Amino acid sequence: MFKDKVAVVTGAARGIGKGIALRLAKNGAKVVVNYAGSEAAANEVVETIKAEGGEAYAYKCNVASYTEVEAMMADVVEKYGRIDILVNNAGITKDNLILKMTEQDFEDVIDVNLKGAFNGIKAVTKQMMKQRYGRIINLSSVVGAMGNAGQANYCASKGGVIGLTMSAARELAARNITVNAVAPGFIDTDMTKVLPDNVKEGLLAQIPAKKLGDVADIANAVEFLAKDDSSYITGQVIHVNGGLYM
Ligand code: NAP
């Protein structure tokens, strides 16, 4: 499916990013496994891909840094000659009620989740335009569409990702570059493991499917959007949330 395609997945050492990286590699893509702090885990993802006959390498870079992201994409182009698929997956939470949220908490989350996605798009745009080919997939969130008490910074960043996605889609569509978002509901990863039990129970009560989603549920949607023949789908948000938001 992705033979001869080169994919960059940010935050690919753990959780959803790891699931996406493994899925794209399994289908033949050469995968750049970006990480910020989880070096050993990133190397493990690379080893798993290679053990299954795939091609990958790990690259450390903070997506909030414009220059680091630029350097990462330049390195990928030097190594593989192209970038076909970019998955802006890296994300953080720093939850608190607005009453208690610090300016730093707000800025940190916007810097990684929203500016990080911009940095990625900006750094691949010229290359993808030259190729006249690209698939950009940004991770938003159900709460970017619904809001959530205690997550003003995170919801603002994920709502921002939707606006960024639609704008980039409009700018790049004529060059055969699609830009879409996947908005997960509550997925079983480190990010949601930290939620207190009563919060989890409250959430489950609101999810028609009555369960958290799996990493594979998100990898499915990303794989679909990354395919060659999804070329007429752009500027869309695919919600994967067990019916929590519809
Ligand atoms: P996770 O398990 O907490 O993993 C987050 C990943 O992001 C890690 O690989 C981490 O890398 C990376 N990361 C964080 N800051 C980074 C930075 N500055 N530069 C580069 N990488 C950075 O989260 P997840 O649940 O897999 O979430 C993945 C994406 O889906 C996020 O954008 C998240 O907001 C979104 N999402 C998740 C859920 C959910 O329920 N889990 C729901 C909606 C949306 P290191 O480990 O190397 O630091």
Side-chain angles (χ1 to χ4, degrees), residues 66 69-71 73-74 83 118-127:
Y66 185 91
V69 174
E70 204 173 34
M73 300 308 177
I83 301 174
F118 169 75
N119 290 341
I121 293 171
K122 170 79 181 168
V124 300
T125 291
K126 218 180 250 174
Q127 176 64 31

Side-chain angles (χ1 to χ4, degrees), residues 11-17 34-38 61-64 89-92 112-113 139-142 154 158 184-187 189-192:
R14 299 188 281 125
I16 292 172
N34 161 254
Y35 67 97
S38 303
C61 130
N62 172 9
V63 297
N89 164 81
I92 59 168
V112 174
N113 297 6
L139 270 289
S140 177
S141 168
V142 64
Y154 184 76
K158 294 300 186 179
F186 287 87
I187 308 301
T189 68
D190 294 345
M191 192 175 265
T192 45

Side-chain angles (χ1 to χ4, degrees), residues 142 146 185 206-211 239-246:
V142 64
M146 292 172 72
Q206 295 173 56
I207 302 172
K210 296 290 170 224
K211 58 175 185 178
H239 286 275
V240 184
N241 58 34
L244 175 60
Y245 173 79
M246 56 178 86

